[in-house]
Amino acid sequence: MAATAQNPMEPLRGDEKKDDEYEDELEFSPFYGIEKGLVLQETRVFNEAHVDPRKCQQVITKLLYLLTQGESFTKSEASDVFFSVTKLFQHKDFHLRRMVYLCIKEFIPSSEEVIIITSSLMKDMNNPHDLFRANAIRVLCKIIDGQMLLQIERYLKQAIVDKSPVVAAAVLAGAVQLASENPEVVKRWNSEVQEALTSRHPMVQFHAVALQHALRSKDRLAISKLVTQLTRGNVRSPYAQLLLVRYVAQVIAETAPGAGGAVRPFYDYLESCLRHRSELVIFEAARAIASMKDVTAKELSPAVTVLQLFLSSSKPVTRFAAVRTLNKIAVNHPSLVANCNIEMESLIADSNRSIATLAITTLLKTGNESSIDRLMKQIGGFIGELADEFKIAVVEAIRALSIKFPAKHRGMLNFLAMCLREDGGFTYKRAIVDAILAIIQHVPESKDVALSQLSEFIEDCEFTYLSVEILHLLGEEGPKTKDPARHIRVIYNRVILENATVRAAAVSALARFALECDDLRSNIIVLLKRALYDSDDEVRDRATLYLAQLGASNDVETARNLIAPEWMYPAKNVISSLEEYLASGDLTQPFDLSTVTKKAPPSPSAHKPHGLAAAVIEGASGATAEERYAEYAEQMVSVPEVAALGPVFKTCAPTQLTEEETEYNVFFVHHVLESHDVFQFHITNTVPEQVLEDVSVLFDLADAPDFEEEATVSLAVAPTEGAGQAYVVLRRTCDGPTAASMPCILKFKVKEIDPSTGEAEEEGFDDEYQLEDLDVSPADYVKATSVPNFTEAWDAMDEANEVADSYALGERENVQEAVETVIELMGMTVCDGTDMVPPNARSHTVSMTGTVVGDAQVLVKLQFGMDAQHNVAMRLAVRAEDPSMCDCIHNIIQQA
């Protein structure tokens, strides 16, 4: 068996996958399903005679995770955890000791328990290892009281000027916490802190600046003096400089703008930071300028110029930060941001959908009336690929734009109607409906078009709330349109086809039409009579009431008050008055409705942005990878020649066989069955002047002895839009997985289209097109499955069936990169969260499980190690009931 992979410098990956599919497969949380009770039981490992450092680290990690998620521990539980963890304090494992420090710091012991650990921590303050000294100081600063602080004050003052930056930074960070409870003690360390301000280490200077500010946090004048001193000083650390910029912004926010156009205090400093060598400082300065109160265009101009340069950065986070800040600036200064529109338009196609969405909404804010149609066309090309929350941000921007440019309402309504027809969740569809309602309110001439689009939407609306809201709107505004009769059919269809809630709303809407439209009244009464036999009593009652009022009363106003009463009291006011009435306790007197105020209370806007601009979330397509694979499998099963072969064991990811720019677009999906392999080819003809008929794929199996061709299913006509399917069925002559690379040719009959008639010629000619070689990997035959407990399953498997070997993976940046590469290549399930490598780790073990075709379960342990030259070696151990399956897993690595 080979001991090394074929090319250690090449990434150990199979066929490349699309980014969204790759992200879907990596969405796994090692903390999923954690429960406090189970974790507390696991803390028993702390008391074992032979402590396993890795298990203890995992349990401590779970405890800390529960704390960060807001889980509360009782005093008894916290004490038990604390005493259990203190037993690990003298362990020699560095990583475990770090976790112990962190656990003690988070599970703050009571005053009676602190004494137990204090002596050990004070001893570690003089430990020769900087790691122990720094962590001991951090923990002590968190758990000690004022009396204990006086005892160790001398040690802390000395540690501030320690030669080790790790120790100095730890003391300064702890002093920031101590400053809130014991400011007088910490102020006595001023000379040492001043010395730390001149440190060459970035983090030491950063914490020193933070401590100086914390000591003066309640004195505005002292903070102003500190900022003046530091801006004139020599703050070299970019982190400290960033902190200083924030303090400067705080001082500026608390002072009034200069009178008569005078320069604001410290504005010159912020402007100088725009020329700093660190992107962190530059962006923070630009953000501080943009956040200033009553900022002018002149003051904003340098910041916008810098942010414009950031839009072309190669770093996604830099582009995101810049476009988010410009998006906020565009609210009040759109003309200033308009200078960035060229760079902004290039971001519309950015792979990061957060950036693309912010670019779109910014362009909509800064665009002029002539550019709206072009922007709408660009957005419509890919809005279907965005997640719902990104779509909502776009809809909200269009809503604001429609109010700004009412003359363009027709194009915007058409765009919103297109969005309504697409798939989406309730929140997204509600945002669109609200946007259309806002356009109706601000642009009265848009009413007819908007109501028609909403009528079309409720024909296929799956959300009861939206259907009722739209029916109510149609009942109010429909009778006032030029042709109210065209809405009757849509509303009555709801009476026939929808649920009881929607049917009741539709009956009310019909009654409103009958009340307002005399010429339609007799016909609507006929429709309402049919509702008398509805299965729901609410629908029947409404129909009975409305028919009685329409038929018996000649007084239109009386009928209107009964059918469409004007309720003068806001619901919130009524609820508030009722609550006060009940709280008074005097229920002998009836509730008096006249005590309710008729003025509606102010309410926050319902159309505020949904936090999209602040979220760094990569956009994803509507369907997950599993849903797409299931769709491919369903297409395959619908073909009779293939359906008889049996159930599908695994469907592999799609692989492209042609370039995107070629005249024929072909990709294939590999379906693995028990004894057959089915290759499903998706074929698109991108040449509209030709018709491709009888399309099939031919294989050359000369170098694939493990396959025999059994059937071929041709595609009658290759479509120019979408994709048609052709199939090739191969029977495996070997037991278990195999590997092969098979040349393949696309064969078809070409018929030219006559440009004068648009019809294809009767006789064509046979042609062929060479496709890329089709590769089959042993990993195609392994399906990701899980086991309840990997350790128990591994121990239960016969050790005699274990097959192990070592492989050189070449030079890697870190162990995490090697782990991710191998996990992707294997295509198996990672157990116990072992895919996450601790930072700076030189070794790591990954546990994986899977099932090989034939329902043979395999268990895998991957042990990674990295030397000083960043060369990674891996030991692969596989256990299976059938030893031959172990060789199959090793073949995945050997043939990578």
Coordinates of all heavy atoms in Angstrom, one line a residue, residues 141-206:
C141 N -7.6 39.0 39.2 CA -8.2 40.3 39.0 C -9.7 40.2 38.9 O -10.5 41.2 39.2 CB -7.7 41.0 37.8 SG -6.0 41.6 37.9
K142 N -10.2 39.0 38.6 CA -11.6 38.8 38.4 C -12.3 38.4 39.7 O -13.5 38.7 40.0 CB -11.9 37.8 37.3 CG -13.3 37.6 36.9 CD -13.9 38.8 36.1 CE -15.3 38.5 35.7 NZ -15.4 37.6 34.6
I143 N -11.6 37.7 40.6 CA -12.3 37.0 41.7 C -11.9 37.7 43.1 O -12.6 37.5 44.0 CB -11.9 35.5 41.8 CG1 -10.5 35.3 42.1 CG2 -12.3 34.9 40.5 CD1 -10.1 33.8 42.3
I144 N -10.9 38.5 43.2 CA -10.5 39.0 44.5 C -11.3 40.2 44.9 O -11.9 40.9 44.0 CB -9.0 39.4 44.5 CG1 -8.6 40.4 43.5 CG2 -8.1 38.1 44.3 CD1 -7.2 40.9 43.5
D145 N -11.3 40.5 46.2 CA -12.0 41.7 46.7 C -10.9 42.8 47.0 O -9.7 42.6 46.8 CB -12.8 41.4 47.9 CG -11.9 40.7 49.0 OD1 -10.7 40.7 48.9 OD2 -12.5 40.1 49.9
G146 N -11.4 43.9 47.5 CA -10.5 45.0 47.8 C -9.4 44.7 48.8 O -8.2 45.1 48.6
Q147 N -9.7 43.9 49.8 CA -8.7 43.6 50.8 C -7.6 42.7 50.3 O -6.4 42.9 50.5 CB -9.4 42.9 52.0 CG -8.5 42.6 53.2 CD -9.2 42.0 54.3 OE1 -10.4 41.8 54.3 NE2 -8.5 41.7 55.4
M148 N -8.0 41.7 49.5 CA -7.0 40.9 48.9 C -6.1 41.6 47.8 O -4.9 41.4 47.7 CB -7.7 39.7 48.2 CG -6.7 38.7 47.5 SD -5.7 37.8 48.8 CE -7.0 36.8 49.5
L149 N -6.8 42.6 47.2 CA -6.0 43.4 46.2 C -4.9 44.2 46.8 O -3.8 44.3 46.3 CB -7.0 44.4 45.5 CG -6.4 45.4 44.5 CD1 -5.7 44.7 43.4 CD2 -7.4 46.3 44.0
L150 N -5.1 44.7 48.0 CA -4.0 45.4 48.7 C -2.8 44.5 49.0 O -1.7 44.9 49.0 CB -4.6 46.0 50.0 CG -5.6 47.1 49.9 CD1 -6.1 47.5 51.2 CD2 -5.0 48.3 49.2
Q151 N -3.1 43.2 49.2 CA -2.0 42.2 49.5 C -1.1 42.0 48.3 O 0.1 41.7 48.5 CB -2.6 40.9 50.1 CG -3.3 41.1 51.4 CD -3.9 39.8 51.9 OE1 -3.5 38.7 51.5 NE2 -4.9 39.9 52.7
I152 N -1.7 41.9 47.1 CA -1.0 41.6 45.9 C -0.7 42.8 45.1 O -0.2 42.7 43.9 CB -1.7 40.5 45.1 CG1 -3.0 41.1 44.6 CG2 -1.9 39.3 45.9 CD1 -3.7 40.1 43.6
E153 N -1.0 44.0 45.6 CA -0.8 45.2 44.8 C 0.6 45.4 44.3 O 0.9 45.7 43.1 CB -1.2 46.5 45.6 CG -1.1 47.8 44.8 CD -1.4 49.0 45.6 OE1 -1.7 48.8 46.8 OE2 -1.3 50.1 45.1
R154 N 1.6 45.1 45.1 CA 3.0 45.2 44.8 C 3.3 44.3 43.6 O 4.0 44.7 42.7 CB 3.9 44.9 46.0 CG 5.4 45.0 45.7 CD 6.1 44.9 47.0 NE 5.9 43.7 47.7 CZ 6.6 42.6 47.5 NH1 7.6 42.5 46.6 NH2 6.3 41.5 48.2
Y155 N 2.8 43.1 43.6 CA 3.1 42.2 42.5 C 2.5 42.7 41.2 O 3.1 42.6 40.1 CB 2.6 40.8 42.8 CG 3.2 40.1 44.0 CD1 2.6 40.1 45.3 CD2 4.5 39.5 43.9 CE1 3.2 39.6 46.4 CE2 5.1 38.9 45.0 CZ 4.4 39.0 46.3 OH 5.0 38.4 47.4
L156 N 1.3 43.2 41.3 CA 0.6 43.7 40.1 C 1.3 44.9 39.5 O 1.5 45.0 38.2 CB -0.9 44.0 40.4 CG -1.7 42.8 40.8 CD1 -3.2 43.3 41.1 CD2 -1.8 41.7 39.8
K157 N 1.8 45.8 40.3 CA 2.5 47.0 39.8 C 3.8 46.6 39.1 O 4.1 47.1 38.1 CB 2.8 47.9 41.0 CG 1.6 48.6 41.5 CD 2.0 49.5 42.7 CE 2.9 50.6 42.4 NZ 3.1 51.5 43.5
Q158 N 4.5 45.6 39.7 CA 5.7 45.1 39.0 C 5.4 44.4 37.7 O 6.2 44.5 36.7 CB 6.5 44.2 40.0 CG 7.0 44.8 41.2 CD 7.7 43.8 42.1 OE1 7.5 42.6 42.0 NE2 8.3 44.3 43.2
A159 N 4.3 43.7 37.6 CA 4.0 43.0 36.4 C 3.6 43.9 35.3 O 3.7 43.5 34.1 CB 2.8 42.0 36.7
I160 N 3.1 45.1 35.6 CA 2.8 46.1 34.5 C 4.0 46.4 33.6 O 3.9 46.5 32.4 CB 2.2 47.3 35.1 CG1 0.8 47.0 35.7 CG2 2.0 48.4 34.0 CD1 0.2 48.2 36.4
V161 N 5.2 46.4 34.2 CA 6.4 46.8 33.5 C 7.2 45.5 33.2 O 8.5 45.6 33.0 CB 7.2 47.8 34.3 CG1 6.5 49.1 34.3 CG2 7.6 47.3 35.7
D162 N 6.6 44.3 33.3 CA 7.3 43.1 33.0 C 7.8 43.0 31.6 O 7.2 43.6 30.7 CB 6.4 41.9 33.3 CG 7.1 40.6 33.4 OD1 7.4 40.0 32.4 OD2 7.4 40.2 34.5
K163 N 8.9 42.3 31.4 CA 9.5 42.2 30.1 C 8.6 41.4 29.1 O 8.6 41.6 27.9 CB 10.9 41.6 30.2 CG 11.9 42.4 30.9 CD 13.3 41.7 30.9 CE 14.3 42.5 31.6 NZ 15.6 41.8 31.7
S164 N 7.8 40.5 29.7 CA 6.9 39.7 28.9 C 5.7 40.5 28.5 O 4.9 40.9 29.4 CB 6.5 38.5 29.6 OG 5.5 37.8 28.9
P165 N 5.4 40.8 27.3 CA 4.2 41.6 26.9 C 2.9 40.8 27.3 O 1.9 41.4 27.5 CB 4.3 41.7 25.4 CG 5.2 40.7 24.9 CD 6.2 40.4 26.1
V166 N 2.9 39.5 27.3 CA 1.7 38.7 27.7 C 1.4 39.0 29.1 O 0.2 39.2 29.4 CB 2.0 37.2 27.5 CG1 0.8 36.4 27.9 CG2 2.4 36.9 26.0
V167 N 2.3 39.0 30.0 CA 2.1 39.3 31.4 C 1.6 40.8 31.6 O 0.6 41.0 32.3 CB 3.3 39.0 32.3 CG1 3.1 39.4 33.7 CG2 3.7 37.6 32.1
A168 N 2.3 41.7 30.9 CA 1.9 43.1 31.1 C 0.5 43.4 30.6 O -0.3 44.1 31.2 CB 2.9 44.0 30.3
A169 N 0.2 42.8 29.4 CA -1.2 43.0 28.9 C -2.2 42.3 29.8 O -3.3 42.9 30.0 CB -1.3 42.3 27.5
A170 N -1.9 41.2 30.4 CA -2.9 40.6 31.3 C -3.1 41.5 32.6 O -4.3 41.6 33.0 CB -2.3 39.2 31.8
V171 N -2.1 42.1 33.1 CA -2.3 43.0 34.3 C -3.2 44.2 33.9 O -4.1 44.6 34.6 CB -1.0 43.4 34.9 CG1 -1.2 44.3 36.1 CG2 -0.1 42.2 35.3
L172 N -2.8 44.8 32.8 CA -3.6 46.0 32.3 C -5.0 45.6 32.1 O -5.9 46.4 32.4 CB -2.9 46.6 31.1 CG -1.5 47.2 31.3 CD1 -0.8 47.5 30.0 CD2 -1.7 48.5 32.2
A173 N -5.3 44.5 31.4 CA -6.7 44.1 31.2 C -7.4 43.8 32.5 O -8.6 44.2 32.6 CB -6.7 42.8 30.3
G174 N -6.7 43.2 33.4 CA -7.4 43.0 34.7 C -7.6 44.3 35.5 O -8.6 44.4 36.2
A175 N -6.7 45.2 35.3 CA -6.8 46.5 36.0 C -8.0 47.3 35.5 O -8.7 48.0 36.2 CB -5.6 47.3 35.8
V176 N -8.4 47.1 34.2 CA -9.6 47.7 33.7 C -10.8 47.3 34.4 O -11.7 48.0 34.7 CB -9.7 47.4 32.1 CG1 -11.0 47.9 31.6 CG2 -8.6 48.1 31.4
Q177 N -10.8 46.0 34.8 CA -12.0 45.4 35.6 C -11.9 45.9 37.0 O -12.9 46.3 37.6 CB -11.9 43.9 35.5 CG -12.1 43.3 34.1 CD -12.1 41.8 34.1 OE1 -11.7 41.2 35.1 NE2 -12.6 41.2 33.1
L178 N -10.7 46.0 37.6 CA -10.6 46.4 39.0 C -10.9 47.9 39.1 O -11.3 48.3 40.2 CB -9.2 46.2 39.4 CG -8.7 44.7 39.6 CD1 -7.2 44.6 39.9 CD2 -9.5 44.0 40.7
A179 N -10.8 48.7 38.0 CA -11.0 50.1 38.1 C -12.4 50.5 38.5 O -12.6 51.6 39.1 CB -10.6 50.8 36.8
S180 N -13.4 49.6 38.2 CA -14.7 50.0 38.5 C -15.1 49.8 40.0 O -15.9 50.5 40.5 CB -15.7 49.0 37.7 OG -15.4 47.7 38.0
E181 N -14.4 48.9 40.7 CA -14.6 48.6 42.1 C -13.6 49.3 43.0 O -13.9 49.7 44.1 CB -14.7 47.1 42.3 CG -15.8 46.4 41.6 CD -17.2 46.8 42.1 OE1 -17.3 47.3 43.2 OE2 -18.2 46.7 41.3
N182 N -12.4 49.3 42.5 CA -11.3 49.8 43.4 C -10.4 50.9 42.6 O -9.2 50.7 42.4 CB -10.4 48.7 43.8 CG -11.1 47.6 44.6 OD1 -11.3 47.7 45.8 ND2 -11.5 46.6 43.8
P183 N -11.1 52.0 42.2 CA -10.3 53.0 41.4 C -9.2 53.6 42.1 O -8.1 53.9 41.5 CB -11.4 54.0 41.0 CG -12.5 53.8 42.1 CD -12.5 52.4 42.5
E184 N -9.3 53.8 43.4 CA -8.2 54.5 44.2 C -7.0 53.7 44.2 O -5.9 54.3 44.1 CB -8.7 54.8 45.6 CG -9.9 55.7 45.7 CD -9.7 57.0 45.0 OE1 -8.5 57.5 45.1 OE2 -10.6 57.6 44.4
V185 N -7.1 52.4 44.3 CA -5.9 51.5 44.3 C -5.2 51.5 42.9 O -4.0 51.7 42.8 CB -6.3 50.1 44.7 CG1 -5.1 49.2 44.6 CG2 -6.9 50.1 46.1
V186 N -6.1 51.4 41.9 CA -5.5 51.4 40.5 C -4.9 52.7 40.1 O -3.9 52.7 39.4 CB -6.6 51.0 39.5 CG1 -6.1 50.9 38.1 CG2 -7.2 49.6 39.9
K187 N -5.4 53.8 40.6 CA -4.8 55.1 40.3 C -3.4 55.2 40.8 O -2.6 56.0 40.3 CB -5.7 56.2 40.8 CG -7.0 56.4 40.0 CD -7.8 57.5 40.6 CE -9.1 57.7 39.8 NZ -10.0 58.8 40.4
R188 N -3.0 54.5 41.8 CA -1.7 54.6 42.4 C -0.7 53.9 41.5 O 0.5 54.0 41.7 CB -1.6 53.9 43.8 CG -2.5 54.6 44.8 CD -2.0 54.2 46.2 NE -2.2 52.8 46.5 CZ -3.3 52.4 47.2 NH1 -4.2 53.2 47.7 NH2 -3.4 51.1 47.5
W189 N -1.1 53.2 40.4 CA -0.2 52.6 39.5 C 0.1 53.5 38.3 O 0.5 53.0 37.2 CB -0.8 51.3 38.9 CG -1.3 50.4 40.0 CD1 -1.0 50.4 41.4 CD2 -2.1 49.2 39.8 NE1 -1.6 49.4 42.0 CE2 -2.3 48.6 41.1 CE3 -2.7 48.6 38.8 CZ2 -3.1 47.5 41.3 CZ3 -3.5 47.5 38.9 CH2 -3.6 46.9 40.2
N190 N -0.2 54.8 38.4 CA -0.2 55.7 37.2 C 1.2 55.7 36.6 O 1.3 55.7 35.3 CB -0.6 57.1 37.7 CG -0.7 58.0 36.5 OD1 -1.5 57.8 35.6 ND2 0.1 59.1 36.5
S191 N 2.3 55.7 37.4 CA 3.6 55.8 36.7 C 3.9 54.6 35.9 O 4.5 54.7 34.8 CB 4.7 56.0 37.8 OG 4.6 54.9 38.8
E192 N 3.5 53.4 36.4 CA 3.8 52.2 35.7 C 2.9 52.1 34.4 O 3.4 51.7 33.3 CB 3.5 51.0 36.5 CG 4.4 50.7 37.6 CD 4.2 51.5 38.9 OE1 3.2 52.3 38.9 OE2 5.1 51.5 39.8
V193 N 1.7 52.6 34.5 CA 0.8 52.6 33.3 C 1.3 53.6 32.3 O 1.3 53.3 31.1 CB -0.6 53.0 33.7 CG1 -1.5 53.2 32.5 CG2 -1.2 52.0 34.7
Q194 N 1.9 54.7 32.7 CA 2.5 55.7 31.8 C 3.6 55.1 31.0 O 3.8 55.3 29.8 CB 2.9 56.9 32.5 CG 1.8 57.8 33.0 CD 1.0 58.5 31.9 OE1 1.5 58.6 30.8 NE2 -0.2 58.9 32.2
E195 N 4.4 54.2 31.7 CA 5.5 53.5 31.1 C 5.0 52.5 30.1 O 5.6 52.3 29.0 CB 6.4 52.8 32.1 CG 7.6 52.2 31.6 CD 8.5 51.6 32.7 OE1 8.3 52.0 33.9 OE2 9.4 50.8 32.3
A196 N 3.9 51.9 30.4 CA 3.3 50.9 29.5 C 2.8 51.6 28.2 O 2.7 51.0 27.2 CB 2.1 50.1 30.2
L197 N 2.4 52.9 28.4 CA 1.9 53.6 27.2 C 3.0 53.8 26.1 O 2.7 54.0 25.0 CB 1.4 55.0 27.6 CG 0.0 55.1 28.1 CD1 -0.3 56.5 28.7 CD2 -1.0 54.7 27.1
T198 N 4.2 53.7 26.5 CA 5.4 53.8 25.6 C 5.9 52.5 25.1 O 6.9 52.4 24.4 CB 6.5 54.6 26.3 OG1 7.0 53.8 27.4 CG2 6.1 56.0 26.7
S199 N 5.2 51.4 25.5 CA 5.6 50.0 25.1 C 5.5 49.9 23.6 O 4.7 50.5 22.9 CB 4.7 49.0 25.8 OG 5.0 47.7 25.2
R200 N 6.5 49.1 23.1 CA 6.5 48.8 21.6 C 5.5 47.7 21.3 O 5.3 47.5 20.1 CB 7.9 48.4 21.2 CG 8.9 49.6 21.3 CD 10.3 49.1 20.8 NE 11.2 50.2 20.8 CZ 11.3 51.1 19.8 NH1 10.5 51.0 18.8 NH2 12.2 52.1 19.9
H201 N 5.0 47.0 22.2 CA 4.1 45.9 21.9 C 2.7 46.4 21.7 O 2.2 47.2 22.6 CB 4.1 44.8 23.0 CG 3.4 43.5 22.6 ND1 2.1 43.3 22.7 CD2 4.0 42.4 22.1 CE1 1.8 42.1 22.3 NE2 2.9 41.5 22.0
P202 N 2.0 46.1 20.6 CA 0.7 46.7 20.3 C -0.3 46.4 21.4 O -1.1 47.4 21.7 CB 0.3 46.0 19.0 CG 1.6 45.5 18.4 CD 2.5 45.2 19.5
M203 N -0.4 45.2 21.9 CA -1.5 44.9 22.8 C -1.3 45.6 24.2 O -2.2 45.9 24.9 CB -1.6 43.4 23.0 CG -2.1 42.7 21.8 SD -3.7 43.4 21.2 CE -4.8 43.1 22.5
V204 N 0.0 45.7 24.6 CA 0.3 46.4 25.9 C -0.1 47.8 25.8 O -0.8 48.3 26.7 CB 1.8 46.2 26.2 CG1 2.1 47.1 27.5 CG2 2.2 44.8 26.4
Q205 N 0.2 48.5 24.7 CA -0.2 49.9 24.6 C -1.7 50.0 24.5 O -2.3 51.0 25.0 CB 0.5 50.5 23.3 CG 0.5 52.0 23.3 CD 1.3 52.5 22.1 OE1 1.1 52.1 21.0 NE2 2.2 53.4 22.4
F206 N -2.3 49.1 23.8 CA -3.8 49.1 23.6 C -4.5 49.0 25.0 O -5.4 49.8 25.3 CB -4.2 47.9 22.8 CG -5.7 47.6 22.8 CD1 -6.6 48.4 22.1 CD2 -6.2 46.5 23.5 CE1 -7.9 48.1 22.1 CE2 -7.5 46.2 23.6 CZ -8.4 47.0 22.9

